[in-house]
Every structure is written in C-alpha cells, then in structure tokens.
Amino acid sequence: MTINNIVGAISPFVSVDRDFYAATIGSLAFQLKDLRESDTVMFTLPNLGLGTSPDGQSIVVADMAKASRPVPIANPSTPLMAK
C-alpha cells in the first residue's frame, strides 16, 4: 500500500485546516515512509453529531460515554482497506 493509496482512500472522509499545505503533507509522508499497513489501526469514534466549538467552529462532538467502553477488535487478518 502506498501513501498515495492511503490518501486516496481516506481523503473523501477527512477535512483539514486550510493551512495544511502540500509541503506539510509531503513532509509528513516522508516521516511515515517506513509505516506499514500492519502498523495502523483505523476506527470511527462514536459521536453525538455536529456541534459548535466555543470559538464558533463546526465540530463533531465525541460520545465519550460510548468511547470509554471496550469494543471488540476486528480480526487483525481481515484487511481494513482494499489494496
């Protein structure tokens, strides 16, 4: 799996700060060059829906009651993303 594949797979579901430039992404990708798929875990944090932060930003509000409960872990041999 390449960085390009990972970015392509998750980018439709991620929003980033407008100051997150290509140079920053490139630097981060270089730092992660030795990271392998088996080194990663992806999950969705339980949430209460959309809200607004004290400074007016739109946010997703975490459901900490559900997040603090143990959740069964997926079978590690099951691929999380198509290669």
Side-chain angles (χ1 to χ4, degrees):
M1 177 167 283
T2 66
I3 294 291
N4 189 49
N5 290 348
I6 293 171
V7 171
I10 66 171
S11 63
F13 310 103
V14 177
S15 294
V16 297
D17 189 282
R18 68 176 168 256
D19 295 328
F20 195 54
Y21 297 109
T24 305
I25 296 167
S27 173
L28 180 59
F30 182 74
Q31 293 174 42
L32 299 175
K33 70 183 183 320
D34 296 321
L35 185 69
R36 300 291 173 251
E37 183 178 8
S38 60
D39 299 327
T40 64
V41 176
M42 295 190 183
F43 60 92
T44 301
L45 182 68
N47 66 76
L48 298 171
L50 300 177
T52 305
S53 69
D55 63 352
Q57 297 181 58
S58 178
I59 59 171
V60 177
V61 180
D63 184 338
M64 296 312 292
K66 285 185 180 176
S68 64
R69 287 186 286 176
V71 178
I73 297 174
N75 181 343
S77 64
T78 304
L80 297 176
M81 282 190 251
K83 292 183 181 184

